[in-house]
Amino acid sequence: MSDAVTDAAGVPEGTDTEPRPEETQEEEAPKEATEASPTAELPLRPALEAVLMVVDEPVTPEHLAKVLDRRPREIADALHELSDEYTVQGRGFDLRHVAGGWRFYTRAAYAPAVEGFVLDGQQARLTQAALETLAVVAYRQPVSRSRVSAVRGVNCDGVMRTLLQRGLIEEAGTEDGTGAILYRTTNYFLERMGLRGLDELPELAPFLPDADAVEGESQEGVPSFDVDDET
């Protein structure tokens, strides 16, 4: 008869039942096969060029970083490097930071060639009235239709509808007190003007009379329009 003493579970007394260190380590570290993103393995600058070739509006570094599985700072640095490189090489296209994002544009020096090919002699430009109305909105926004009409001295409802249809302006809430709809320029306006933001609009103050004086004269014949008290 064996002298070995067993416990209630039938395990010989003195036998080590604790898991071995290597066994515990294997249990705590599950085997997970992680595969690198296909886009993360692509050369960054050519990948950026490929994406930017198909965008139809400026795209942010954060969006590009998400698509290409990179850090936003890395994307931003590469975009600036590409833009500088195209300028030094005198390429016919330009990579510009416009309206909060990046997009390829025709370099200004080669615009006539592109216009000749795309427009074939027919250009759909804004009328003088539309340009003047758009300028009022850009510099006075958010602004109501009645105020735009007062500044220009003519009814601008039709022109405002045209600017809305072209996506250059959009509604921006209502005016306190009157409930009139207010309008502002859009990101598309910044994009078409090649501006990063409204702070890049040229300063017009040296070339224009005081705004209050203009509105005071323009409101003649528009009795329903109330001029704001401005100091």
Side-chain angles (χ1 to χ4, degrees), residues 33-179:
T34 57
E35 297 182 0
S37 169
T39 55
E41 298 177 354
L42 296 172
L44 178 56
R45 288 166 49 142
L48 281 172
E49 291 175 323
V51 173
L52 291 169
M53 285 291 294
V54 299
V55 302
D56 55 4
E57 60 184 14
V59 58
T60 65
E62 290 75 18
H63 188 183
L64 291 170
K66 182 178 180 180
V67 170
L68 300 178
D69 197 15
R70 305 296 178 95
R71 297 189 306 275
R73 181 71 264 171
E74 184 180 4
I75 294 292
D77 290 342
L79 290 169
H80 283 285
E81 291 171 2
L82 284 172
S83 179
D84 293 342
E85 180 178 304
Y86 299 149
T87 299
V88 171
Q89 295 176 351
R91 297 291 188 90
F93 57 88
D94 184 18
L95 179 57
R96 283 189 270 164
H97 184 211
V98 171
W102 291 80
R103 184 185 176 188
F104 282 126
Y105 289 86
T106 299
R107 200 170 294 278
Y110 302 98
V114 177
E115 290 178 355
F117 176 78
V118 176
L119 302 178
D120 193 21
Q122 296 183 3
Q123 301 180 7
R125 296 181 180 273
L126 291 175
T127 64
Q128 183 66 29
L131 287 173
E132 292 176 2
T133 302
L134 183 58
V136 174
V137 175
Y139 283 93
R140 303 284 288 173
Q141 63 183 303
V143 63
S144 64
R145 289 190 184 189
S146 59
R147 181 171 293 277
V148 174
S149 297
V151 172
R152 290 200 60 229
V154 295
N155 187 295
C156 297
D157 288 355
V159 179
M160 292 287 284
R161 284 194 294 271
T162 298
L163 296 177
L164 279 167
Q165 292 172 356
R166 296 201 179 188
L168 294 169
I169 64 175
E170 62 185 1
E171 294 184 3
T174 57
E175 190 174 42
D176 293 338
T178 66

